[in-house]
C-alpha cells in the first residue's frame, strides 16, 4: 500500500483553520479512502477570532466564545499541539516539538510531508523601548485581552483604596501605543467599560480616569480613510481621551511613560499595539522571503519558485492582481486572509488532482471599526458611516464572519443579554495564577523552621 499524501499545515489561525475547513470538503473522497491526510501543527487547540478581542476585554462577549475549538470543526484532520521550529523544504521535512516531546525530554522531532501550507500568522512587533519588556501589555491573544480587563479593574481598586495621590494618579492613567484597529478598539471598549464601572466606586469619577492614545503617524485607523479617521479622533477626544498624533513612546522605565513631545506620564498601564511582524518560523525555512520577512508568493498562493509549498495571510506577500499600480501586494488583514484561504484550499485540491490552479483576486471593499458601545466608523463600498449605523454594521459583519453556527448563536445571545442587563464589572485576576491560593495554604507557617528556644 502507498503512503497517503500528507498535507502539513503550519498554524491554526485564520488561514490555517479556514483552509483546512474547506480542504476537508474538497478532499472528502481522498480523506475517506485514506489516500490523503491533513496534519495541523498549532501552539493552541483553538483559533482566536481577533476582531472580538476588544469586546471580550470589555465583558460584552465571554472569552470562550471568542475562540473556535479546532478539534471540533476540523474533525477529519490530525491536530498536533506543538510548534514548528524550522522547515527544510528541499527534504520535505519540518522540525517540531509537541507537548509530549517536552514532557518526555525527547527534544524536537522531524515530520515529513508532501504539501506544505505555511500559515503561522504574525506576532507583535516591538521596538527597543526601555522598560517595554518589563511593563508593556500586548493585545493579540484572548489571554492578553482578559488579563488587560482584570488589570484595568484592579488599578481602579488600587486607586480607590490608596491614600497616596501619586499612586492613585498612576493607577488611573492608561496609555495605549498604536492607532490601528487593535489599539483604538481596545482603548474605546475599555474606556467605555471603565467609565461604567466608576459608578460603583464611591471615590472614583469617570473624569478621574486618564486615557492616552499615542500614534506615530498623523492619523488613526488609516483603513477607514482620512475623513473617518479624523471623525474617530474627534469622537475619542470628545470622551476626554487624549489622542497624541505624530508622537512616539520613548521609554516606560520605572512606570513612567515618556513621550517624544516631552510629556511624562506616571502610569501602571502601557498597552502596546503598534503593529505586527511575520512569525519567526519563516526565517527558519529555506523558502524565499521579501524585504519584510514575508514569503514571496504568486497570485495562485504558491511560494514563488518552489513546488508543493503554499502560503496566505500575514505570512505571505501575495500580489494584488486587482490593483491599478503594478507591484502592489494584498494587505495582511482578515478580509484577505479568509478569502485567500478559500482559494488556497481549492488550489491544493486541484494540484493533487492534476487540475489547473486559479488566481486570488479580491478588490478591497473597505473597513469597519468600533469606538465603544453604540459608536463606530465605517468606509465600505465607498459609503461612509459613523455613530450607531457604523457600530451596527461592525457587529453584523463580524457576526457573519465568525466561524460555525454554534459561535454565531452564542455571540448573538450574549449581545442580546448584555443589552437587557447591566455590565459585569468583576475582576478575575486570580485566574492568571490559579495555584497561588493553594501554594499559600501549603506554605509552612512562619517560625516552623526556627530553632527551638532553650
Amino acid at each position: 500500500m502507498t503512503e497517503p499524501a500528507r498535507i502539513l499545515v503550519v498554524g491554526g489561525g485564520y488561514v490555517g483553520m479556514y483552509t483546512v475547513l474547506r480542504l476537508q470538503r474538497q478532499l472528502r473522497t481522498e480523506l475517506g479512502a485514506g489516500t490523503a491526510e491533513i496534519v495541523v501543527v498549532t501552539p493552541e487547540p483553538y483559533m482566536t477570532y481577533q476582531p472580538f478581542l476588544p469586546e471580550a476585554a470589555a465583558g460584552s462577549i465571554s472569552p470562550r466564545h471568542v475562540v473556535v475549538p479546532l478539534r471540533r470543526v476540523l474533525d477529519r484532520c490530525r491536530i498536533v499541539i506543538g510548534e514548528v521550529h524550522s522547515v527544510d523544504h528541499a527534504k520535505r521535512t519540518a522540525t517540531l516539538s509537541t507537548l509530549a516531546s517536552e514532557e518526555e525530554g525527547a527534544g524536537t522531532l522531524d515530520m515529513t510531508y508532501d504539501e506544505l501550507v505555511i500559515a503561522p500568522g504574525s506576532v507583535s512587533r516591538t521596538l527597543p523601548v526601555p522598560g517595554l519588556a518589563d511593563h508593556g501589555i500586548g493585545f493579540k491573544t484572548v489571554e492578553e485581552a482578559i488579563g488587560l480587563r482584570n488589570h484595568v479593574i484592579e488599578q481602579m481598586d488600587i486607586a480607590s483604596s490608596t491614600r497616596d495621590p501619586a499612586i492613585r494618579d498612576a493607577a488611573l492613567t492608561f496609555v495605549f501605543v498604536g492607532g490601528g484597529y487593535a489599539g483604538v478598539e481596545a482603548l474605546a471598549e475599555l474606556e467605555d467599560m471603565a467609565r461604567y464601572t466608576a459608578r460603583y466606586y464611591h471615590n472614583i469619577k469617570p473624569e478621574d480616569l486618564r486615557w492616552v492614545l499615542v500614534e506615530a503617524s498623523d492619523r488613526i485607523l488609516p483603513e477607514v480613510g482620512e475623513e473617518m479617521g479624523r471623525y474617530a479622533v474627534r469622537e475619542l477626544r470628545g470622551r476626554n481621551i487624549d489622542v497624541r498624533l505624530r508622537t512616539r513612546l520613548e521609554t516606560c522605565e520605572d512606570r513612567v511613560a515618556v513621550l517624544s513631545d516631552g510629556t511624562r506620564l506616571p502610569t501602571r498601564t502601557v498597552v502596546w499595539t503598534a503593529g505586527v511582524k511575520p512569525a519567526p518560523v519563516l526565517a527558519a525555512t529555506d523558502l524565499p522571503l521579501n524585504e519584510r520577512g514575508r514569503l514571496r508568493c504568486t497570485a495562485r498562493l504558491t511560494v514563488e519558485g518552489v513546488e508543493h509549498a503554499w502560503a496566505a495571510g500575514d505570512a505571505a506577500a501575495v500580489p494584488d492582481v486587482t490593483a491599478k499600480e503594478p507591484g502592489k501586494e494584498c494587505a495582511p488583514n482578515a478580509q484577505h486572509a479568509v478569502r485567500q484561504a478559500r482559494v488556497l484550499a481549492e488550489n491544493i485540491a486541484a494540484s493533487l488532482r492534476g487540475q489547473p490552479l486559479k488566481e486570488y483576486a479580491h478588490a478591497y471593499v473597505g473597513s469597519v471599526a468600533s469606538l465603544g458601545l453604540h459608536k463606530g466608523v465605517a468606509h465600505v463600498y465607498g459609503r461612509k458611516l459613523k455613530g450607531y449605523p457604523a457600530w451596527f454594521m461592525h457587529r453584523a459583519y463580524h457576526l457573519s464572519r465568525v466561524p460555525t453556527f454554534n459561535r454565531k448563536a452564542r455571540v448573538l445571545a450574549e449581545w442580546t443579554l448584555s443589552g437587557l442587563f447591566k455590565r459585569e464589572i468583576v475582576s478575575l485576576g486570580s485566574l492568571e495564577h490559579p495555584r497561588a491560593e493553594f501554594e499559600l495554604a501549603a506554605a509552612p507557617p512562619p517560625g516552623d523552621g526556627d530553632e527551638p528556644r532553650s
Side-chain angles (χ1 to χ4, degrees):
M1 295 179 63
T2 58
E3 290 290 324
R6 175 178 290 168
I7 303 169
L8 175 61
V9 181
V10 180
Y14 271 96
V15 174
M17 194 207 74
Y18 280 106
T19 298
V20 177
L21 195 62
R22 194 165 186 85
L23 261 179
Q24 289 183 148
R25 295 193 290 268
Q26 294 284 323
L27 299 177
R28 184 182 294 106
T29 302
E30 289 85 347
L31 292 173
T35 58
E37 70 168 340
I38 304 173
V39 179
V40 181
V41 181
T42 174
E44 305 292 346
Y46 53 80
M47 185 275 274
T48 302
Y49 192 73
Q50 292 183 352
F52 281 160
L53 287 183
E55 293 203 48
S60 300
I61 301 177
S62 171
R64 68 184 185 277
H65 298 156
V66 178
V67 299
V68 180
L70 296 179
R71 295 190 190 279
R72 172 181 287 184
V73 297
L74 307 181
D75 55 345
R76 292 173 174 264
C77 307
R78 177 183 166 197
I79 307 295
V80 177
I81 306 303
E83 183 178 356
V84 173
H85 300 285
S86 63
V87 174
D88 187 344
H89 190 65
K91 298 180 179 179
R92 302 289 193 276
T93 303
T95 301
L96 56 101
S97 61
T98 67
L99 295 179
S101 63
E102 293 176 2
E103 289 291 329
E104 296 165 354
T108 59
L109 55 94
D110 292 335
M111 178 180 290
T112 58
Y113 59 83
D114 298 284
E115 301 286 339
L116 175 68
V117 179
I118 298 285
S122 57
V123 297
S124 295
R125 175 175 60 86
T126 59
L127 298 176
V129 176
L132 182 62
D134 298 321
H135 305 299
I137 303 173
F139 197 80
K140 193 166 173 56
T141 68
V142 66
E143 293 86 357
E144 289 174 330
I146 303 310
L148 181 57
R149 168 188 170 82
N150 292 334
H151 174 83
V152 168
I153 297 178
E154 183 181 86
Q155 297 311 303
M156 297 180 71
D157 289 335
I158 291 173
S160 177
S161 57
T162 185
R163 295 182 179 180
D164 188 328
I167 293 177
R168 175 186 168 90
D169 290 344
L172 295 181
T173 300
F174 306 95
V175 179
F176 285 67
V177 183
Y181 278 125
V184 172
E185 290 192 339
L187 183 151
E189 291 284 356
L190 284 166
E191 188 274 339
D192 231 1
M193 182 270 293
R195 183 160 26 87
Y196 176 87
T197 304
R199 69 178 66 181
Y200 296 100
Y201 290 84
H202 70 283
N203 56 352
I204 296 180
K205 299 177 182 178
E207 52 267 28
D208 294 336
L209 284 76
R210 184 176 186 184
W211 300 83
V212 183
L213 177 63
V214 180
E215 168 55 40
S217 68
D218 60 351
R219 59 175 174 163
I220 64 173
L221 297 174
E223 297 87 352
V224 299
E226 187 174 352
E227 181 183 342
M228 290 295 96
R230 288 197 301 267
Y231 167 79
V233 171
R234 292 196 302 270
E235 168 67 27
L236 295 177
R237 285 175 174 167
R239 288 157 57 180
N240 205 30
I241 296 173
D242 186 358
V243 180
R244 304 286 183 99
L245 302 178
R246 300 187 184 90
T247 308
R248 298 180 307 277
L249 176 68
E250 298 287 352
T251 175
C252 55
E253 290 182 303
D254 302 321
R255 294 190 179 276
V256 177
V258 180
L259 308 184
S260 58
D261 60 6
T263 304
R264 296 174 60 86
L265 300 169
T267 178
R268 300 169 61 89
T269 309
V270 175
V271 183
W272 183 268
T273 63
V276 296
K277 64 181 180 180
V281 68
L282 300 185
T285 72
D286 55 351
L287 302 172
L289 305 178
N290 68 0
E291 63 281 358
R292 295 185 178 181
R294 300 166 69 196
L295 291 169
R296 295 184 181 275
C297 293
T298 68
R300 295 178 177 86
L301 304 178
T302 61
V303 177
E304 193 175 275
V306 180
E307 294 183 344
H308 308 292
W310 313 77
D314 290 356
V318 179
D320 187 353
V321 299
T322 66
K324 296 180 180 179
E325 57 271 24
K328 189 173 182 181
E329 298 172 353
C330 296
N333 56 36
Q335 186 176 140
H336 281 298
V338 173
R339 290 172 172 81
Q340 286 174 358
R342 185 183 305 120
V343 176
L344 178 55
E346 293 173 356
N347 280 352
I348 292 173
S351 175
L352 292 176
R353 295 165 181 164
Q355 299 171 351
L357 310 183
K358 64 180 183 180
E359 291 187 341
Y360 170 75
H362 171 67
Y364 192 63
V365 299
S367 298
V368 292
S370 170
L371 299 178
L373 191 62
H374 300 158
K375 297 174 283 289
V377 290
H379 189 182
V380 181
Y381 293 113
R383 298 190 62 183
K384 300 171 184 176
L385 299 174
K386 55 188 178 183
Y388 185 88
W391 171 83
F392 183 82
M393 178 179 287
H394 174 271
R395 282 200 163 184
Y397 173 79
H398 287 299
L399 183 65
S400 70
R401 293 301 175 185
V402 68
T404 76
F405 177 79
N406 180 301
R407 281 292 171 276
K408 289 179 171 64
R410 290 177 183 272
V411 170
L412 183 59
E414 286 203 302
W415 282 342
T416 303
L417 291 174
S418 65
L420 297 175
F421 301 101
K422 295 181 179 180
R423 284 180 184 259
E424 294 290 346
I425 60 168
V426 64
S427 168
L428 298 175
S430 58
L431 290 177
E432 299 161 39
H433 308 284
R435 295 190 66 249
E437 187 70 20
F438 183 80
E439 289 173 351
L440 181 63
D448 273 15
D450 296 346
E451 292 291 333
R453 296 180 180 179
S454 56

